[in-house]
Amino acid sequence: MMLSRQPLSACAQRTYNRGRARRVNVAASAATAPANGAPVSSYTGKTMRTATVKRKTKETEVEVTINLDGTGVCVADTPVGFFNHMLDQIASHGLFDLTVRAKGDTWIDDHHTVEDIALALGTAMSQALGDRKGIHRFGEFSAPLDEALTHVVLDLSGRPHLSCDLSIPAQRIGNFDTELVEHFFMSFSNTSGTTLHIRQLAGKNSHHIVEATFKAFARALRRACEYDERRAGQIASSKGVLTQQ
């Protein structure tokens, strides 16, 4: 069943407006449409890698659309304000076009909503990557935000694993439970088939630590998803496969 399109929240409207402004500047050169109608990235010269995943349970209703070859446009329309801000970091620094619309039982807490968004996002990422031919596979980045510094290393190996070493002083940032940061990355790793290592190298301010983490994650993921021209379309594995199927 299609999600009803409700008016965007103030946070989602701001990210949408930023996305529109960014799109005006880059749309003319970002993609072309061949005769078969499939959009092609002018950056890679290949068909854009996109996927849409819908997930509906008794607790949440989530729809995620991602374009791995986008320009950083984000529409994050969820009831979790701080998390919308983090989704915008993923899109902006990963140069992914990302739309996330979600409703959930936030009168209980934000756990189910954040978890199911992460599961859907990981599934969409895996679907968009397809057989993962020609990609770099590995990504690494260290991102600072004032006094905070986080290092992220990941491998789109098809094998889910999370090693997360964050020390976030505050239990909450606004109304957001900081315990959900690690749970988000675990859920994403499980459905995307990503080996993910996160290390906090410095930081005292909880907002800075979490935001630096999402920025580093986005940059590392961007690198891993990008095509390696020297691979010439081959899978970056001695086994010849990077998927779980």
Side-chain angles (χ1 to χ4, degrees):
M1 181 179 71
M2 292 293 293
L3 290 173
S4 59
R5 292 295 188 256
Q6 300 298 325
L8 297 178
S9 66
C11 181
Q13 189 65 54
R14 285 195 296 272
T15 59
Y16 177 75
N17 289 342
R18 287 199 297 271
R20 288 190 63 190
R22 192 178 294 131
R23 190 186 295 113
V24 167
N25 293 328
V26 301
S29 61
T32 57
N36 63 8
V40 171
S41 168
S42 62
Y43 176 70
T44 66
K46 304 177 188 296
T47 301
M48 286 187 173
R49 297 166 295 173
T50 64
T52 296
V53 170
K54 300 174 185 179
R55 177 181 174 88
K56 185 174 182 180
T57 71
K58 293 181 179 179
E59 299 163 341
T60 67
E61 187 173 359
V62 175
E63 183 176 325
V64 172
T65 297
I66 193 166
N67 176 3
L68 301 183
D69 304 298
T71 59
V73 177
C74 180
V75 176
D77 187 15
T78 88
V80 188
F82 179 78
F83 187 53
N84 289 342
H85 181 41
M86 295 303 102
L87 291 171
D88 194 24
Q89 304 309 307
I90 293 175
S92 178
H93 292 280
L95 289 181
F96 308 125
D97 290 346
L98 179 63
T99 299
V100 179
R101 301 184 187 275
K103 299 183 292 185
D105 55 1
T106 52
W107 58 88
I108 298 175
D109 63 13
D110 297 337
H111 183 104
H112 295 143
T113 302
V114 172
E115 177 183 55
D116 284 3
I117 290 171
L119 293 171
L121 178 59
T123 301
M125 177 71 64
S126 184
Q127 290 182 4
L129 284 168
D131 57 17
R132 312 189 184 197
K133 286 182 177 179
I135 63 171
H136 280 280
R137 170 181 171 179
F138 298 99
E140 177 182 11
F141 202 85
S142 293
L145 181 54
D146 296 347
E147 89 298 342
L149 178 64
T150 304
H151 185 60
V152 172
V153 182
L154 60 82
D155 176 11
L156 298 175
S157 60
R159 299 186 301 275
H161 172 82
L162 174 67
S163 178
C164 184
D165 184 11
L166 293 175
S167 181
I168 305 172
Q171 183 177 351
R172 292 188 176 275
I173 301 173
N175 294 322
F176 181 78
D177 184 355
T178 55
E179 188 179 56
L180 293 176
V181 174
E182 181 171 348
H183 191 62
F184 167 83
F185 288 116
M186 179 179 292
S187 299
F188 172 87
S189 175
N190 284 339
T191 53
S192 64
T194 300
T195 296
L196 178 58
H197 289 261
I198 300 171
R199 294 290 180 271
Q200 178 184 331
L201 303 179
K204 296 180 179 179
N205 181 281
S206 297
H207 188 132
H208 292 172
I209 293 167
V210 174
E211 186 167 338
T213 300
F214 273 84
K215 286 178 175 177
F217 168 72
R219 286 284 184 148
L221 190 59
R222 170 184 166 184
R223 175 61 173 176
C225 289
E226 285 178 339
Y227 288 111
D228 181 352
E229 294 304 320
R230 291 185 63 191
R231 284 281 170 198
Q234 300 302 305
I235 293 176
S237 171
S238 58
K239 295 186 298 184
V241 64
L242 287 175
T243 57
Q244 294 167 307
Q245 288 74 29

